[in-house]
Amino acid sequence: MPVSDPAAAPGAPAEGAASHAPAFRPGLEGVPATQSAICDIDGRQGHLTYRGYDAAILAAQSTFLETAYLLIWGELPTALQLRDFEHEVQMHRRVSFRIRDMMKSFPAQGHPMDALQASAASLGLFYSRRALDNPEYIYGAVVRLLAKIPTMVAAFQLIRKGQDPIQPRDDLPYAANFLYMLTEREPDPLAARIFDACLIIHAEHSLNASTFSARVTASTLTDPYAVVASAVGTLAGPLHGGANEDVLAMLEAIGSEDQVAPWLDRAIAERQKIMGFGHREYKVKDPRAVILQRLAEQLFDRFGHDPLYDLARKVEEVAASRLGPKGIYPNVDFYSGLVYRKLGIPRDLFTPIFAIARTAGWLAHWKEQLGANRIFRPSQIYTGAVPREWTPLEAR
Ligand code: CMC
């Protein structure tokens, strides 16, 4: 291997080394950036497993907190472990009045994801001390984050309406308590169960953008509140968690079933992305969309139909002939908004709810990253100017 020329342009490959330069993959598509034992996706069969368990089975049989425990510690908890874990989470649901007061100074028209990111980061002010090699510290941070994130989402919802946040109810399970804090009414048990299943299927999805962001942040050995805050910021974008809000807006813009085909044809001709469709990993319908569709139907059977659902099914049917040949099918965001809408949840809370669920996955990756940490520091292919002379201001 020749010695590189120090006078060459920064980033220029040494003579004779070009053929060894790694290929650039925009978006790191197909590039393994970590090893992980948490979640596996079979994008051709449309199959998703958490720690080896089928996510569909977990959605039907487990609870969100049990699934979070499984994701983070790798095994299903015993009855005693689960009872303790649920109890600890329940005991830590309240947030400091200082955080509530801080949230009261947020602009009411601000997006709840921004409020959540700021609030999650603020937890580091209260519980910072990093003891990343202490299992009790890890357990405590997991409990706190799982417990307080829903409280903060619900608190901002009430605060922006001009009300004081209400305290969590210790007698209610995780999902029911969140819906209670949001609506100030104890939810119907079926609605709470369906909401819990939604949290389960959003809890983890391997190295998506926000989880990658969480792992990069974790790799610096910062505190877990910064890890979750950075992931919340990443989830907020419309290409990631934010798409679920846009799906309902799209359905409303389409308006009626006879408009579906012309609307889609125009959008595709203009190279617009159809929200709630497509996935880097899945080339078939996202298994989570299949589950969410079933959950939506259960809700409609019980609480009344939503005509937007018929429109959504028509969009799926028409899009199959236009986008299906490219492996573009409904993703998790396509039907989730319809479920949340039926539960009476405001549209801009859909992504914060995604964040509540995904906190479990982020924490699992935080813990896994700490177990075999090496700071992320990828390389780049420099495409800028070659070294050049400084031009004084008056000569420019
Ligand atoms: N509508 C129309 N065309 C699409 C779509 C779509 N939703 N998604 C991908 N394509 C086309 C794209 O135009 C491109 O076509 P061509 O090769 O002719 O240029 C090709 O498929 C590859 O697209 P890409 O954007 O390079 O694919 P990606 O793997 O980088 O992106 C994605 C994945 C999810 C960002 C993308 O499918 C998308 O933007 N979907 C819409 C937004 C959305 O629903 N996001 C939620 C994702 S699932 C939940 C989550 O992970 O947060």
Side-chain angles (χ1 to χ4, degrees):
M1 178 79 105
V3 176
S4 62
D5 174 4
E15 196 189 338
S19 59
H20 301 294
F24 170 51
R25 307 292 295 266
L28 296 184
E29 182 170 4
V31 178
T34 191
Q35 293 185 317
S36 179
I38 299 169
C39 166
D40 195 29
I41 299 170
D42 181 339
R44 305 239 154 245
Q45 300 297 322
H47 200 228
L48 171 65
T49 54
Y50 297 167
R51 300 285 189 182
Y53 294 98
D54 187 334
I57 302 285
L58 292 169
Q61 305 291 340
S62 182
T63 62
F64 172 68
L65 280 185
E66 184 184 47
T67 299
Y69 188 104
L70 167 72
L71 287 167
I72 296 164
W73 282 284
E75 295 297 335
L76 287 168
T78 62
L80 185 62
Q81 286 168 330
L82 182 59
R83 202 197 61 200
D84 287 350
F85 186 54
E86 286 173 343
H87 179 69
E88 286 296 317
V89 170
Q90 177 196 313
M91 297 305 288
H92 285 86
R93 284 173 182 166
R94 284 172 175 69
V95 296
S96 156
F97 76 90
R98 291 195 168 84
I99 293 182
R100 295 201 302 271
D101 285 354
M102 176 191 78
M103 294 177 88
K104 286 178 186 169
S105 67
F106 292 168
Q109 72 280 10
H111 196 286
M113 277 301 269
D114 295 325
L116 179 60
Q117 190 185 19
S119 317
S122 79
L123 289 173
L125 292 160
F126 295 87
Y127 309 106
S128 82
R129 303 286 58 89
R130 293 168 209 138
L132 300 177
D133 49 358
N134 178 349
E136 280 173 28
Y137 174 86
I138 304 272
Y139 191 85
V142 164
V143 161
R144 257 189 224 114
L145 278 156
L146 287 171
K148 294 185 194 305
I149 294 275
T151 308
M152 295 190 300
V153 172
F156 185 66
Q157 169 62 8
L158 292 196
I159 288 169
R160 68 180 174 165
K161 289 198 293 182
Q163 294 166 231
D164 267 323
I166 57 173
Q167 292 294 356
R169 278 245 318 253
D170 289 347
D171 59 319
L172 292 178
Y174 194 84
N177 173 60
F178 172 71
L179 293 174
Y180 162 74
M181 289 190 298
L182 202 60
T183 60
E184 302 174 86
R185 277 195 304 275
E186 190 173 331
D188 176 276
L190 177 73
R193 171 65 202 136
I194 287 179
F195 185 71
D196 197 58
C198 290
L199 295 181
I200 292 172
I201 55 175
H202 284 88
E204 162 61 9
H205 210 235
S206 81
L207 210 59
N208 53 83
S210 58
T211 302
F212 186 39
S213 168
R215 283 194 86 122
V216 171
T217 310
S219 80
T220 70
L221 302 184
T222 185
D223 69 66
Y225 311 104
V227 169
V228 169
S230 74
V232 170
T234 310
L235 183 69
L239 295 187
H240 194 5
N244 54 16
E245 289 180 39
D246 296 338
V247 170
L248 288 191
M250 177 184 78
L251 293 175
E252 285 166 355
I254 294 173
S256 62
E257 289 188 36
D258 60 327
Q259 285 305 308
V260 168
W263 193 96
L264 280 180
D265 287 338
R266 194 173 52 248
I268 292 167
E270 289 169 1
R271 301 193 62 77
Q272 280 180 41
K273 289 278 180 72
I274 311 303
M275 287 294 141
F277 276 79
H279 201 281
R280 179 69 63 79
E281 295 287 322
Y282 294 115
K283 299 306 158 209
V284 294
K285 184 169 174 178
D286 185 329
R288 301 167 300 171
V290 176
I291 299 170
L292 279 160
Q293 199 171 352
R294 262 200 312 268
L295 295 175
E297 285 171 0
Q298 283 179 37
L299 275 177
F300 302 147
D301 284 348
R302 175 68 167 273
F303 301 107
H305 196 65
D306 183 346
L308 274 194
Y309 178 60
D310 301 324
L311 198 53
R313 288 183 53 194
K314 183 76 182 170
V315 169
E316 178 177 354
E317 179 199 315
V318 175
S321 60
R322 274 68 167 175
L323 299 173
K326 289 175 82 175
I328 298 167
Y329 289 96
N331 60 46
V332 68
D333 285 329
F334 192 61
Y335 288 108
S336 65
L338 288 164
V339 172
Y340 298 148
R341 175 176 139 107
K342 196 70 209 168
L343 290 171
I345 295 171
R347 198 172 292 183
D348 60 1
L349 292 189
F350 296 175
T351 318
I353 287 168
F354 195 156
I356 292 173
R358 191 53 62 82
T359 297
W362 295 330
L363 290 169
H365 282 270
W366 168 58
K367 188 167 167 295
E368 187 175 64
Q369 183 65 35
L370 294 180
N373 190 50
R374 189 158 190 228
I375 191 167
F376 278 94
R377 203 323 177 178
S379 58
Q380 62 166 17
I381 296 168
Y382 178 68
T383 61
V386 295
R388 45 190 171 154
E389 292 301 318
W390 162 255
T391 313
L393 189 56
E394 57 282 9
R396 280 177 236 158

